[in-house]
């Protein structure tokens, strides 16, 4: 370990060369005021241990189009305000075949969610526990059972794909209504303790963005629903020759598609929407923030931007012991923000080799561009060479992947137009990055390189600075990477055992042989992970949630 002081030459050089600007003066004041105590720089092995503290990796042997997904988090707030959840649900789907018979198949509905909280952790925790179930409840209404009153569990396809979007949207809005209104009313309208009120009002007063990906293996369609400023990007390999259009490994290159649009006051469409909803209110957007204070334009919770003046007054009068919020200036025509998501749809081409989805809170995109992220994942595939992610020969693309990636927003694959002005370059970097491949978990790999990669001293400094001072240099970071591909079976050299026994997240004995398993990839998963995790388990019928 190395003790760093403000007067220390190494400390001064690290601080001066940091590619991150501090917010306010708290960062510098920390170094100056602690000149007698200093901070402790973690060693490289300690840095890796901390980066891998919240990582998880799963091998999906379901033969349903998803091969693997990795998750990692690094806290900056204490406690961390980000959260995440995943779930796989098996559904029996039926449709009429051309010969008049009924075609029956088992579809996997796969969900991955990232929730970027602010002003506390309680809203993001609520989303972690409830959002997928709320969406599933709504999907239950658009995938009706063939025999509603019988034992038949077959579900009919929706009449249109737009019904699925409306179901997801309704799930988001109903959960937000539960958070900011219904749960509070149930407590306020009965005798209750201050602790009971605090329990329900905390998720309403804090806030969270929500990014939810939903993959239906039957249609190979990926839907991404966003409320807030997290982001989803898709990396796909284009094998076509630029001149002939024929498949060519020699000219293959990665294509970057952004599947969501950041919903902040730098998004012109969002600003125009809010101003149209609140005419004659010049202060509705100030300093690129809603009412001059909130940066995202869509959020869960944040009830003080949604409650009526009358409702806030009522809570203040009845719960003044706990609720002491003062209304914002120029608070005239709430609600000013919404939890309504923007949803995009993308067809995943499983026959074109491996593609991957990256979901992350905005902290990652402050440090890396979309193209750098896709290049880093491709670089990781080359270095780690897992057999089930093999796509093309190494020499054809991996050695020049960073040079070949071009900034592309393919509007044809997403239902929402991507505004190039919204997809800004990383705002904090001041010097050319140097990347490295060191981690078995690809999400941890992205976080490490976002913090400096091969610049070991910089990574150590950014990981070593304790909360809450670290918030001046970086945000909470949460990253999920999902690999798609068409394989009859998954072959891996990665050890997936614990004490000589295979570790399996249960999928039900009746279906293990037919549909495959979900396995914890221990090589890329923290050692303290418990095997039976509710968020990873899937249900055979969505009515069981």
């Amino acid at each position: 370990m190395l003790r760093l002081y403000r007067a220390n030459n190494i400390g001064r050089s690290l601080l001066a060369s940091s590619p991150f600007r501090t917010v306010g003066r708290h960062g510098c004041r920390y170094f100056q005021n602690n000149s007698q105590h200093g901070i402790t720089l973690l060693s490289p092995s300690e840095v890796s241990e901390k980066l891998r503290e919240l990582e998880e990796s799963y091998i999906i042997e379901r033969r349903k189009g998803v091969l693997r997904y990795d998750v990692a988090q690094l806290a900056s707030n204490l406690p961390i305000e980000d959260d995440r959840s995943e779930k796989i649900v098996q559904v029996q789907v039926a449709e009429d075949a051309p010969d008049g018979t009924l075609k029956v198949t088992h579809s996997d509905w796969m969900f991955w969610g990232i929730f970027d909280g602010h002003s506390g952790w309680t809203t993001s925790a609520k989303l972690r526990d409830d959002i997928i179930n709320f969406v599933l409840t709504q999907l239950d209404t658009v995938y009706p059972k063939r025999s509603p009153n019988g034992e038949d569990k077959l579900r009919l396809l929706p009449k249109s794909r737009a019904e699925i979007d409306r179901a997801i949207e309704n799930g988001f809005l109903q959960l937000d209504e539960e958070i900011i209104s219904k749960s509070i009313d149930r407590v306020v309208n009965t005798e209750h303790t201050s602790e009971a009120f605090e329990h329900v009002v905390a998720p309403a007063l804090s806030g969270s963005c929500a990014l939810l990906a939903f993959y239906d293996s039957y249609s190979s369609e990926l839907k991404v629903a966003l409320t807030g400023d997290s982001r989803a990007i898709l990396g796909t390999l284009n094998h076509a020759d630029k001149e002939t259009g024929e498949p060519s490994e020699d000219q293959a290159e990665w294509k970057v598609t952004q599947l969501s649009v950041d919903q902040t006051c730098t998004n012109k469409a969002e600003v125009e929407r809010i101003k149209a909803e609140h005419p004659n209110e010049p202060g509705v957007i100030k300093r690129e923030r809603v009412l001059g204070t909130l940066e995202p334009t869509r959020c869960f919770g944040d009830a003080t931007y949604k409650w009526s003046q009358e409702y806030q007054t009522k809570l203040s009068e009845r719960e003044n012991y706990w609720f002491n919020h003062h209304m914002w200036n120029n608070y005239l025509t709430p609600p000013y923000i919404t939890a309504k998501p923007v949803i995009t749809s993308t067809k995943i081409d499983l026959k074109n080799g491996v593609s991957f989805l990256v979901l992350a809170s905005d902290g990652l995109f402050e440090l890396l561009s979309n193209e750098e992220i896709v290049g880093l994942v491709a670089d990781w595939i080359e270095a780690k060479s897992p057999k089930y992610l093999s796509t093309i020969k190494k020499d054809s693309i991996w050695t020049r992947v960073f040079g070949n990636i071009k900034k592309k927003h393919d509007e044809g694959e997403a239902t929402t137009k991507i505004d190039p002005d919204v997809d800004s370059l990383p705002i904090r970097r001041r010097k050319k990055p140097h990347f490295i491949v060191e981690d078995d978990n690809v999400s941890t790999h992205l976080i490490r390189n976002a913090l400096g990669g091969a610049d070991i001293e910089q990574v150590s400094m950014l990981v070593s600075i304790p909360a809450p001072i670290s918030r001046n240099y970086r945000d909470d970071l949460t990253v999920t990477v999902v690999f798609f591909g068409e394989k009859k079976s998954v072959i891996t050299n990665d050890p997936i055992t614990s004490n000589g026994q295979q570790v399996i997240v249960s999928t039900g004995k009746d279906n293990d042989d037919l549909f495959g398993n979900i396995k914890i990839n221990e090589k890329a998963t923290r050692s303290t992970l418990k095997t039976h995790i509710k968020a990873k388990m899937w249900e055979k019928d969505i009515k069981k949630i």
Side-chain angles (χ1 to χ4, degrees):
M1 296 183 185
L2 175 68
R3 301 288 289 181
L4 269 191
Y5 302 100
R6 186 65 177 90
N8 185 296
N9 290 332
I10 298 178
R12 185 182 294 112
S13 64
L14 274 176
L15 200 58
S17 64
S18 172
F20 306 98
R21 65 172 69 98
T22 61
V23 181
R25 298 180 301 168
H26 299 288
C28 287
R29 198 156 55 229
Y30 175 81
F31 283 91
Q32 291 169 349
N33 290 351
N34 287 274
S35 59
Q36 292 182 352
H37 303 287
I39 64 170
T40 301
L41 273 189
L42 300 176
S43 67
S45 62
E46 290 171 325
V47 167
S48 293
E49 183 179 352
K50 188 168 183 178
L51 288 174
R52 297 166 183 169
E53 188 176 17
L54 297 176
E55 70 176 12
E56 298 175 23
S57 177
Y58 295 88
I59 306 297
I60 312 299
E61 295 188 337
R62 302 275 304 151
R63 300 186 289 280
K64 296 290 187 179
V66 175
L67 304 176
R68 166 178 172 163
Y69 71 87
D70 288 11
V71 182
Q73 292 183 283
L74 180 66
S76 185
N77 293 290
L78 186 65
I80 186 172
E81 295 181 348
D82 281 8
D83 224 313
R84 29 73 58 152
S85 62
E86 305 86 34
K87 186 181 284 289
I88 300 177
V89 181
Q90 180 189 332
V91 182
Q92 287 183 313
V93 179
E95 67 173 335
D96 293 327
D99 60 1
T101 61
L102 197 64
K103 180 183 177 182
V104 179
T105 186
H106 288 82
S107 178
D108 274 1
W109 290 355
M110 305 187 185
F111 297 87
W112 301 273
I114 285 182
F115 317 114
D116 184 357
H118 50 263
S119 302
W121 55 269
T122 53
T123 311
S124 59
K126 180 72 172 176
L127 299 184
R128 173 200 65 204
D129 293 339
D130 291 343
I131 193 168
I132 294 177
N133 287 346
F134 267 72
V135 170
L136 282 170
T137 299
Q138 294 302 310
L139 288 173
D140 180 48
T141 65
V142 299
Y143 282 85
K145 282 190 174 183
R146 188 180 63 166
S147 302
N149 299 323
E151 294 296 324
D152 190 350
K153 295 182 179 180
L154 290 179
R155 293 185 175 274
L156 303 177
L157 294 175
K159 295 180 180 180
S160 71
R161 306 303 292 178
E163 292 185 35
I164 301 174
D165 288 5
R166 285 193 291 271
I168 296 172
E169 179 182 308
N170 289 337
F172 274 50
L173 292 175
Q174 289 189 15
L175 175 55
D176 193 53
E177 184 67 17
E178 173 69 19
I179 291 172
I180 68 171
S181 179
K182 291 182 178 179
S183 62
I184 295 175
D185 288 342
R186 284 195 296 269
V187 172
V188 169
N189 294 331
T190 59
E191 291 187 10
H192 61 275
T193 63
S194 59
E195 289 78 9
F197 180 73
E198 178 181 353
H199 179 74
V200 297
V201 80
L205 293 180
S206 61
S208 181
C209 304
L211 177 63
L212 185 67
F214 166 41
Y215 178 72
D216 177 8
S217 68
Y218 179 77
S219 63
S220 298
E221 186 174 52
L222 173 68
K223 290 187 176 292
V224 171
L226 174 65
T227 294
D229 60 1
S230 299
R231 190 183 298 174
I233 60 176
L234 184 70
T236 54
L237 199 57
N238 182 8
H239 292 272
D241 184 280
K242 295 179 181 178
E243 296 182 0
T244 66
E246 297 296 323
S248 172
E249 291 188 355
D250 291 336
Q251 295 195 32
E253 64 180 18
W254 283 98
K255 174 184 174 183
V256 183
T257 305
Q258 186 173 329
L259 302 182
S260 62
V261 181
D262 304 351
Q263 297 158 2
T264 67
C265 291
T266 60
N267 183 329
K268 296 177 183 178
E270 285 292 286
V271 171
E272 291 174 359
R273 174 183 64 81
I274 292 176
K275 287 184 175 180
E277 292 173 354
H278 304 277
N280 304 317
E281 292 187 51
V284 67
I285 302 293
K286 292 172 56 179
R287 299 184 297 275
E288 295 189 339
R289 281 169 166 73
V290 179
L291 297 181
T293 55
L294 184 65
E295 187 170 5
T297 54
R298 304 184 189 221
C299 293
F300 282 83
D302 285 315
T304 56
Y305 295 86
K306 299 173 181 176
W307 285 333
S308 67
Q309 295 183 24
E310 293 76 15
Y311 193 76
Q312 295 197 46
T313 300
K314 171 185 172 182
L315 290 181
S316 296
E317 292 174 349
R318 296 187 61 173
E319 309 291 341
N320 56 9
Y321 174 77
W322 200 92
F323 184 78
N324 57 3
H325 171 75
H326 298 286
M327 279 180 279
W328 305 109
N329 294 329
N330 301 315
Y331 195 81
L332 304 175
T333 58
Y336 287 94
I337 60 173
T338 178
K340 181 179 179 179
V342 175
I343 302 170
T344 63
S345 302
T346 305
K347 190 82 169 182
I348 300 297
D349 186 359
L350 299 175
K351 296 181 180 180
N352 194 40
V354 169
S355 57
F356 54 84
L357 171 71
V358 179
L359 307 170
S361 52
D362 68 320
L364 184 74
F365 297 97
E366 291 180 349
L367 310 175
L368 294 171
S369 69
N370 293 350
E371 293 68 38
E372 286 173 327
I373 290 171
V374 170
L376 281 165
V377 175
D379 203 28
W380 178 89
I381 295 175
E382 176 193 8
K384 297 300 178 180
S385 300
K387 291 183 178 180
Y388 51 92
L389 299 183
S390 178
T391 54
I392 58 176
K393 296 177 182 179
K394 289 185 179 181
D395 293 341
S396 62
I397 180 64
W398 306 123
T399 55
R400 64 181 197 278
V401 63
F402 290 103
N404 271 5
I405 287 184
K406 296 179 180 179
K407 188 172 184 177
K408 297 179 182 179
H409 295 307
D410 191 334
E411 298 168 5
E413 291 189 5
T415 57
T416 299
K417 183 177 180 180
I418 303 299
D419 185 351
D421 294 335
V422 177
D423 175 27
S424 58
L425 292 174
I427 60 175
R428 293 182 175 181
R429 185 182 302 119
R430 292 180 182 174
K431 65 179 182 179
K432 185 178 179 180
H434 298 281
F435 299 132
I436 191 173
V437 179
E438 191 170 310
D439 301 284
D440 291 303
N441 184 300
V442 67
S443 295
T444 305
H445 164 71
L446 289 176
I447 292 176
R448 182 190 296 274
N449 282 283
L451 300 179
D455 190 337
I456 297 174
E457 289 184 331
Q458 178 177 293
V459 175
S460 179
M461 183 187 75
L462 292 174
V463 174
S464 301
I465 298 174
I469 305 302
S470 60
R471 190 60 185 85
N472 295 318
Y473 294 88
R474 59 175 178 82
D475 200 353
D476 291 334
L477 294 169
T478 300
V479 182
T480 297
V481 180
V482 182
F483 291 99
F484 299 97
E486 188 178 56
K487 295 288 185 181
K488 293 183 179 179
S489 62
V490 176
I491 303 174
T492 173
N493 290 327
D494 297 338
I496 314 172
T497 59
S498 177
N499 298 324
Q501 299 295 321
Q502 192 177 56
V503 180
I504 299 175
V505 180
S506 174
T507 58
K509 293 181 180 180
D510 295 338
N511 296 304
D512 282 348
D513 293 337
L514 183 59
F515 299 109
N517 300 319
I518 306 169
K519 300 179 180 178
I520 296 173
N521 177 14
E522 288 196 341
K523 189 176 181 182
T525 301
R526 66 184 190 271
S527 59
T528 57
L529 180 68
K530 296 181 179 179
T531 59
H532 297 290
I533 300 176
K534 181 180 179 181
K536 310 302 174 300
M537 297 184 68
W538 57 272
E539 310 287 348
K540 294 184 218 177
D541 184 74
I542 61 178
K543 275 295 188 182
K544 290 185 178 181
I545 62 173

